[in-house]
Amino acid sequence: MKHLAVIAVLLAAAAPGAAHAQYGSDMRSSFGAGRGDQDAARAAVRAGRQAPLSQVLATIAQRTPGRHLNTTQGSHNGRPAYFVQWQTPGGEVIIFIADAESGAIIGRQGG
């Protein structure tokens, strides 16, 4: 349970605008199940408008040992971004922010 609280705090710190990006005025998630967003992301990757998540995860794995926990999409500084939760072998959780178009890591919180 403690890990969930840490993850929630890190997510809030990592992307202060993510809550706004994630929830519309009716407080429904603007991405995730039921909205076809995964299909839209796949289409963007196929069209070359977005880097594949596998590329982002490989970049993170080369730099930081650990494992992938979860990924969400949103925006960071007005650009589409991946927010990747990564757990180190020591149990620390790091939130990597990657530019969704280039796949470049543009930020990091925690760890």
Side-chain angles (χ1 to χ4, degrees):
M1 190 61 113
K2 183 178 179 181
H3 291 290
L4 292 176
V6 170
I7 291 170
V9 168
L10 289 174
L11 278 174
H20 183 266
Q22 182 177 1
Y23 296 100
S25 61
D26 60 1
M27 296 304 287
R28 288 184 305 170
S29 177
S30 64
F31 53 87
R35 297 208 15 122
D37 293 327
Q38 289 180 345
D39 292 334
R42 285 185 196 100
V45 169
R46 282 192 297 273
R49 295 186 316 269
Q50 184 167 313
L53 178 59
S54 61
Q55 174 187 325
V56 172
L57 295 177
T59 299
I60 293 170
Q62 288 175 354
R63 297 179 182 183
T64 308
R67 67 186 185 104
H68 175 227
L69 296 176
N70 190 31
T71 300
T72 57
Q73 285 189 270
S75 65
H76 180 73
N77 293 333
R79 295 189 47 89
Y82 291 113
F83 297 89
V84 179
Q85 296 175 8
W86 191 263
Q87 185 176 33
T88 67
E92 296 175 312
V93 175
I94 302 168
I95 308 299
F96 287 96
I97 305 166
D99 182 277
E101 293 176 353
S102 70
I105 306 302
I106 57 174
R108 169 186 170 149
Q109 292 288 322

